[in-house]
Amino acid sequence: MAFSLAPFAFVLSLALQLHSHVLAKDNLWERPHFVRKAVAARLRAGVRALEAFLRRILILMALDLEHELVAKPQVENLRRKKARKVRVSSPGFRVFPELSLPHPDMLAQRFEALDRAITGQVRPFYFAPAPVPIGHWLRRLDLLQAIATDPQAKAKRLAFSLARRRPGPMLAPEARPRIMARRGHEISATFDAMGFQITQKSRNRPPPLPPPRRWPVPMITLL
């Protein structure tokens, strides 16, 4: 099923621009292991904003693909079921990421500062706030960049899911009012415009697709 990304080139470029803005906000290009709490909060807000922006792009793509979807026959489904596919897992995305340990240099600096405070060399007015690990959010940001670079497979799966499970008119995914705050007027205006387009396009959706037919499980295993 051929699908052209030309109508969505502008919004996809804005998504990549938002990704670059999130990384450049606090000089996260060097991918530090630990940052201050304020920096981690800004990174988390940027990742959620990019997720909301990409979610609306994928829904618009899925609504365009719905008019070309065709329910596959049972024979083809059986062939796909018997075919062995090589599963490729992205190394930067894990369901249960490993626990991030503090960096040795950072631990050494904190212990040295504590020793100076105990020996009386420096009067400790307060302890420095604990650094926050951001490896999980950086991996999510990399995954969103990969989706924005090549969204065709994700949009196709979403189109089949919407055609089978959510027929009829639909509204844009709800988002907090200030989720696009400080992201630029162009990005925030495009985000609102995509929500309006989702509402308008979903009014003329084709009939829902039937659920995929599944072969019955064999009940007789021994004769």
Side-chain angles (χ1 to χ4, degrees), residues 71-157:
K72 296 183 179 180
Q74 189 174 5
V75 178
E76 187 174 354
N77 289 337
L78 179 61
R79 291 175 181 172
R80 292 181 58 189
K81 183 178 180 180
K82 289 184 177 181
R84 294 183 179 180
K85 297 182 179 180
V86 180
R87 296 184 178 273
V88 180
S89 59
S90 56
F93 178 76
R94 296 180 181 177
V95 180
F96 300 101
E98 298 179 359
L99 296 178
S100 300
L101 299 178
H103 198 271
D105 296 340
M106 185 170 295
L107 284 179
Q109 293 176 3
R110 295 192 64 187
F111 279 118
E112 184 180 354
L114 185 60
D115 292 338
R116 289 198 305 266
I118 293 176
T119 54
Q121 298 179 7
V122 178
R123 186 178 178 182
F125 291 97
Y126 62 92
F127 287 99
V132 181
I134 58 171
H136 171 66
W137 295 103
L138 290 178
R139 287 192 294 268
R140 289 179 63 177
L141 198 62
D142 294 339
L143 178 62
L144 296 176
Q145 181 189 14
I147 294 175
T149 305
D150 188 13
Q152 296 185 6
K154 194 78 172 179
K156 185 178 179 181
R157 290 194 297 267

Side-chain angles (χ1 to χ4, degrees), residues 36-53:
R36 294 182 292 109
K37 187 177 181 180
V39 176
R42 287 193 290 268
L43 174 61
R44 182 169 58 250
V47 170
R48 290 175 177 173
L50 183 56
E51 286 178 346
F53 197 84

Side-chain angles (χ1 to χ4, degrees), residues 1-6 12 58 61 65 146-159:
M1 180 171 47
F3 179 63
S4 176
L5 294 178
L12 289 175
L58 292 175
M61 291 182 178
L65 283 171
I147 294 175
T149 305
D150 188 13
Q152 296 185 6
K154 194 78 172 179
K156 185 178 179 181
R157 290 194 297 267
L158 180 61

Side-chain angles (χ1 to χ4, degrees), residues 150-215:
D150 188 13
Q152 296 185 6
K154 194 78 172 179
K156 185 178 179 181
R157 290 194 297 267
L158 180 61
F160 276 103
S161 178
L162 293 179
R164 288 167 176 163
R165 300 178 182 179
R166 298 193 59 178
M170 58 184 300
L171 298 175
E174 295 183 0
R176 289 177 294 179
R178 297 183 59 84
I179 195 171
M180 287 295 166
R182 299 180 181 179
R183 307 297 171 188
H185 296 288
E186 188 175 22
I187 293 179
S188 59
T190 306
F191 180 77
D192 296 335
M194 285 192 297
F196 177 76
Q197 289 180 0
I198 290 174
T199 306
Q200 295 297 320
K201 284 187 176 182
S202 62
R203 293 181 178 180
N204 299 322
R205 298 179 63 186
L209 293 178
R213 299 184 60 182
R214 301 183 182 274
W215 287 85

